[in-house]
C-alpha cells in the first residue's frame, strides 16, 4: 500500500470514527424511542417527523454541501443533532416533533456530505493509480469500511443503553422469565395492577397476563400498538433518562469537535463564511436532483431503495418492540439490537472487500432471500416454538440484510453517477427517507401480521425492479454524458454490463 493510499484510509478513518459516535447516539434513540416514549405515539411521531424533514431537505442538500463543503456541513449538522437529543428529555410532543423535523433535515445534509466525501476520496486515489477509470471494487471497499463503523455503532449504543437502563430498578420494570414457561412483564402482580387501569383492556386481565396464551396473543406477529397499552411499558426514572441522553449528547459533541479539528476540508470556516461567491441557486440544484431521480436507471433501482427505507423503519420501530421489548422488556432491546448491529457490521465489511471477486447482484439477491426468510420466520413464531435463541436469530438475519443493502446500494449509486455525487445521493436519500417516513407513520395503525406481508411484497417488487435494471444492460448514461471520470474511457462495470470483457480492477 503506497503513501497516497495510506493517507486516503486515514481520512476515511477520521470520517468513520466521527460517524460512529454520531450514529451510536442516534440509532440508540431510534431503536428505543417506540418503547421509552410510547405514550400517545410520541416516539414513533418523532421518528416520522425526523424522516419527514429528511425527505423534504434532500432536494437542497446538494447546494448546501457544495456551498459550505462536507466538513462544515457535518460540524453544523451535529450541533443540530445535539439539540434533538436534549429535546428528548422534555417528552413534549409540540417541542419534540418540530425539532425532529429540523434534525431530519440536517441529517439529510450529513448523509449527502459523507457519501460525497467518500466518492471524492475514491476518485482522488483512483486518478493516481488508474487515471480515467473509476474502480467499482475500490468504492465498495471504501464504503465497506465506512459502513463497518456505522454498523458497529448500534451495537455499542445498544449495549450502553441496556447497561444504563439495567440500573433503573423501578417497580414497573418489564421482566420476562423462560423458566417453566412462566411469563410476566412486571416484578409483581401488585405493580402490574397499579400500573394502569387493566379493567379497560379487553384482551388482558391480571390473572391471565402471566400465561403463555396471553404472551402469544400480544407479542410477535400478533403485536399491535393499539393493544399494547401503557401497562406493558416501562416507567423509566427521570434520573436514568437524564443520564441516558446525557451520554448520547457527549458522544455527539465529541464527534462534532473531532470533525471541526481533524477532518480534512477544502476550505476553512473563515473562507466559507466570508466567501465572495453569491448565493447558490437552490432552484437549479433542486431541479437537478429531481431530474436525476426521474432518469430511467434511477427509477428502476428506486423500489429497492424505498424498500430499504421501509425495512429499516420496520425493524427499529416494530421488530425491536414486538420481539424484544414485548417479550423480554426494554432492557433486552439493547442486546437484541447489538446482535443486529454486529451482524450488519461484519456483513458490510466482508461483502465490501469481497466485491472485487463477487458480483454486486449476487449480494443484493442474497439480502432479499435473507430478509424474506426472516419475515417467514417471524410470521410462524409462537410462544410455544419461539425461545430466546429463535428471537435473537431474527436480529442476526435482519443484520445481514442491512449490511448488504447499505453498502451496495450506496456503492451502486456512486458508480452510476460518479460525476454528480451530491445530486445522486440527495435523490437516493430522498427515496430512502420517503420509505422510512411511511414506515414510521403507519406503524401505529397497522398490526404486525399485516406489516410482515407488506414488507415481503415490497422486497419482491424491489428486487424484481433491480433485475430489470440489470437485464436492461444500461450504458450508465444521463443527459448523453457517460458517468465516468473521463468520457472517452468506460468503467469496468460499464463494459461488463454491456457484455464486453471487463478490464482488471485495482
Amino acid at each position: 500500500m503506497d503513501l497516497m493510499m495510506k493517507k486516503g484510509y486515514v481520512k476515511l478513518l477520521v470520517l468513520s470514527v466521527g460517524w460512529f459516535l454520531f450514529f451510536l447516539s442516534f440509532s440508540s434513540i431510534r431503536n428505543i424511542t417506540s418503547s421509552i416514549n410510547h405514550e400517545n405515539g410520541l416516539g414513533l411521531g418523532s421518528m416520522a417527523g425526523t424522516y419527514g424533514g429528511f425527505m423534504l431537505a434532500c432536494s437542497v442538500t446538494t447546494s448546501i454541501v457544495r456551498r459550505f463543503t462536507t466538513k462544515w456541513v457535518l460540524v453544523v449538522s451535529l450541533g443540530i443533532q445535539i439539540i434533538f437529543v436534549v429535546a428528548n428529555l422534555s417528552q413534549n410532543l409540540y417541542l419534540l416533533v418540530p425539532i425532529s423535523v429540523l434534525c431530519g433535515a440536517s441529517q439529510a445534509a450529513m448523509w449527502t456530505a459523507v457519501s460525497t466525501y467518500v466518492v471524492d476520496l475514491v476518485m482522488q486515489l483512483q486518478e493516481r493509480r488508474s487515471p480515467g477509470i473509476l474502480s467499482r471494487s475500490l468504492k465498495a471497499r471504501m464504503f465497506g469500511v465506512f459502513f463497518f463503523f456505522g454498523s458497529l455503532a448500534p451495537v455499542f449504543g445498544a449495549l450502553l443503553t441496556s447497561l444504563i437502563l439495567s440500573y433503573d430498578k423501578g417497580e414497573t420494570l418489564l421482566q420476562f422469565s423462560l423458566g417453566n414457561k412462566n411469563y410476566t412483564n412486571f416484578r409483581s402482580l401488585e405493580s402490574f395492577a397499579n400500573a394502569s387501569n387493566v379493567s379497560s383492556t379487553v384482551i388482558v386481565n391480571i390473572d391471565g397476563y402471566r400465561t403463555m396464551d396471553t404472551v402469544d396473543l400480544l407479542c410477535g406477529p400478533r403485536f399491535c400498538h393499539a393493544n399494547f397499552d401503557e401497562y406493558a411499558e416501562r416507567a423509566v426514572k427521570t434520573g436514568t433518562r437524564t443520564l441516558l441522553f446525557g451520554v448520547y449528547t457527549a458522544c455527539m459533541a465529541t464527534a462534532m469537535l473531532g470533525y471541526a479539528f481533524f477532518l480534512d476540508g477544502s476550505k476553512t470556516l473563515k473562507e466559507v463564511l466570508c466567501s465572495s461567491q453569491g448565493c447558490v441557486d437552490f432552484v437549479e440544484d433542486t431541479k437537478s436532483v429531481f431530474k436525476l431521480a426521474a432518469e430511467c436507471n434511477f427509477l428502476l433501482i428506486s423500489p429497492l431503495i424505498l424498500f430499504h427505507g421501509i425495512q429499516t423503519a420496520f425493524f427499529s420501530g416494530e421488530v425491536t418492540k414486538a420481539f424484544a421489548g414485548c417479550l423480554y422488556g426494554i432492557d433486552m432491546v439493547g442486546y437484541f439490537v447489538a446482535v443486529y448491529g454486529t451482524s450488519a457490521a461484519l456483513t458490510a465489511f466482508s461483502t465490501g472487500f469481497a466485491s472485487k471477486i463477487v458480483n454486486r447482484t449476487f449480494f443484493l439477491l442474497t439480502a432479499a432471500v435473507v430478509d424474506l426468510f426472516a419475515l417467514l420466520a417471524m410470521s410462524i413464531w409462537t410462544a410455544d416454538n419461539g425461545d430466546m435463541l429463535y428471537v435473537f436469530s431474527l436480529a442476526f438475519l435482519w443484520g445481514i440484510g442491512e449490511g448488504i443493502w447499505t453498502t451496495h446500494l450506496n456503492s451502486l449509486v456512486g458508480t452510476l453517477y460518479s460525476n454528480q455525487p451530491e445530486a445522486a445521493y440527495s435523490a437516493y436519500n430522498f427515496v430512502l427517507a420517503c420509505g422510512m417516513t411511511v414506515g414510521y407513520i403507519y406503524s401505529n395503525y397497522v398490526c404486525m401480521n399485516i406489516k410482515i406481508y407488506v414488507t415481503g411484497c415490497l422486497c419482491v417488487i424491489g428486487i424484481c425492479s433491480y433485475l430489470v435494471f440489470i437485464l436492461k444492460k444500461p450504458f450508465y448514461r444521463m443527459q448523453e454524458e457517460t458517468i465516468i471520470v473521463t468520457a472517452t474511457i468506460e468503467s469496468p462495470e460499464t463494459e461488463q454490463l454491456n457484455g464486453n470483457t471487463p478490464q482488471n480492477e485495482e
Side-chain angles (χ1 to χ4, degrees):
M1 183 181 295
D2 57 25
L3 181 61
M4 185 69 179
M5 187 64 72
K6 289 180 180 179
K7 288 182 178 180
Y9 275 105
V10 168
K11 294 177 182 179
L12 182 65
L13 183 63
V14 172
L15 181 73
S16 301
V17 171
W19 193 263
F20 170 85
L21 292 172
F22 152 69
F23 206 59
L24 179 151
S25 303
F26 178 76
S27 64
S28 298
I29 295 174
R30 185 181 67 185
N31 290 325
I32 67 171
T33 189
S34 63
S35 295
I36 202 171
N37 291 326
H38 175 78
E39 297 81 3
N40 301 317
L42 177 62
L44 292 174
S46 68
M47 285 295 102
T50 297
Y51 288 106
F54 191 112
M55 180 179 62
L56 294 174
C58 281
S59 61
V60 298
T61 54
T62 301
S63 300
I64 295 172
V65 172
R66 286 176 180 170
R67 175 68 175 85
F68 297 104
T69 74
T70 55
K71 174 177 179 175
W72 297 111
V73 166
L74 289 170
V75 172
V76 174
S77 297
L78 279 169
I80 297 175
Q81 301 303 307
I82 292 173
I83 296 174
F84 166 74
V85 176
V86 175
N88 273 271
L89 292 171
S90 68
Q91 294 183 277
N92 186 314
L93 180 67
Y94 299 103
L95 174 65
L96 184 57
V97 171
I99 294 178
S100 297
V101 174
L102 182 61
C103 165
S106 66
Q107 280 192 27
M110 290 179 70
W111 276 103
T112 300
V114 295
S115 299
T116 301
Y117 190 92
V118 174
V119 171
D120 287 344
L121 186 59
V122 171
M123 293 178 70
Q124 292 172 21
L125 296 176
Q126 195 61 33
E127 276 296 295
R128 292 289 298 270
R129 305 182 71 186
S130 302
I133 300 177
L134 187 60
S135 172
R136 173 181 64 86
S137 63
L138 180 60
K139 184 183 281 87
R141 290 199 301 271
M142 288 290 191
F143 273 113
V145 171
F146 176 76
F147 286 115
F148 171 73
F149 281 88
S151 299
L152 273 183
V155 178
F156 286 88
L159 293 175
L160 182 63
T161 299
S162 291
L163 179 64
I164 294 173
L165 291 176
S166 66
Y167 286 98
D168 187 353
K169 302 299 183 181
E171 281 300 309
T172 55
L173 177 64
L174 248 137
Q175 287 283 4
F176 182 84
S177 174
L178 289 172
N180 298 322
K181 299 181 179 180
N182 183 28
Y183 296 79
T184 180
N185 282 80
F186 286 86
R187 292 189 180 279
S188 64
L189 283 177
E190 290 76 17
S191 63
F192 170 66
N194 294 330
S196 69
N197 182 11
V198 296
S199 62
S200 63
T201 305
V202 177
I203 295 178
V204 177
N205 57 69
I206 296 178
D207 295 329
Y209 190 75
R210 299 172 68 93
T211 67
M212 182 91 70
D213 292 340
T214 304
V215 172
D216 199 33
L217 187 62
L218 280 179
C219 302
R222 287 156 290 281
F223 175 85
C224 285
H225 283 277
N227 295 334
F228 201 60
D229 214 329
E230 294 180 6
Y231 60 77
E233 285 300 307
R234 173 185 191 145
V236 179
K237 292 180 180 178
T238 302
T240 304
R241 178 184 287 268
T242 302
L243 175 61
L244 189 64
F245 288 103
V247 171
Y248 297 155
T249 301
C251 290
M252 286 196 177
T254 303
M256 182 178 68
L257 293 174
Y259 280 164
F261 289 103
F262 300 110
L263 191 66
D264 180 45
S266 58
K267 295 182 181 180
T268 65
L269 180 60
K270 183 178 180 180
E271 289 173 334
V272 170
L273 296 178
C274 302
S275 174
S276 59
Q277 177 184 353
C279 294
V280 176
D281 193 341
F282 286 97
V283 175
E284 289 301 318
D285 280 336
T286 301
K287 286 181 180 178
S288 70
V289 171
F290 285 104
K291 190 172 184 179
L292 185 147
E295 191 263 338
C296 180
N297 291 328
F298 192 88
L299 287 175
L300 286 174
I301 64 175
S302 291
L304 198 57
I305 300 172
L306 184 71
F307 160 72
H308 181 213
I310 291 178
Q311 171 251 332
T312 302
F314 175 68
F315 179 83
S316 62
E318 297 296 323
V319 179
T320 56
K321 192 170 184 179
F323 286 91
C326 182
L327 293 176
Y328 309 113
I330 195 174
D331 289 7
M332 295 301 294
V333 171
Y335 300 111
F336 185 77
V337 175
V339 173
Y340 166 82
T342 302
S343 174
L346 294 176
T347 303
F349 186 81
S350 59
T351 60
F353 277 86
S355 63
K356 189 172 183 178
I357 57 176
V358 181
N359 189 277
R360 178 189 292 115
T361 301
F362 173 80
F363 288 128
L364 294 178
L365 286 173
T366 300
V369 171
V370 169
D371 279 1
L372 290 172
F373 181 78
L375 289 168
L376 176 63
M378 289 168 57
S379 66
I380 64 175
W381 179 94
T382 64
D384 291 321
N385 65 16
D387 57 11
M388 185 177 289
L389 179 61
Y390 188 107
V391 171
F392 276 74
S393 296
L394 294 175
F396 183 81
L397 291 174
W398 281 111
I400 293 175
E402 175 65 18
I404 294 176
W405 297 129
T406 304
T407 300
H408 293 281
L409 287 178
N410 272 277
S411 176
L412 174 62
V413 172
T415 301
L416 281 172
Y417 306 106
S418 57
N419 69 335
Q420 294 180 279
E422 300 96 338
Y425 283 111
S426 292
Y428 169 83
N429 290 328
F430 177 84
V431 177
L432 186 70
C434 181
M436 289 187 176
T437 303
V438 171
Y440 282 114
I441 287 177
Y442 90 116
S443 284
N444 221 31
Y445 306 101
V446 182
C447 293
M448 173 61 79
N449 56 349
I450 298 177
K451 292 173 190 170
I452 289 175
Y453 292 113
V454 170
T455 306
C457 290
L458 291 174
C459 180
V460 173
I461 292 172
I463 202 65
C464 288
S465 181
Y466 173 78
L467 291 176
V468 172
F469 161 77
I470 291 297
L471 295 174
K472 179 176 173 288
K473 295 184 178 180
F475 287 86
Y476 290 164
R477 296 177 183 274
M478 186 177 63
Q479 300 178 18
E480 305 303 326
E481 293 182 4
T482 305
I483 308 305
I484 49 178
V485 179
T486 302
T488 58
I489 304 178
E490 290 191 345
S491 70
E493 185 166 332
T494 302
E495 292 189 355
Q496 187 177 10
L497 286 174
N498 284 327
N500 300 326
T501 303
Q503 302 176 15
N504 292 328
E505 292 181 342
E506 295 291 337

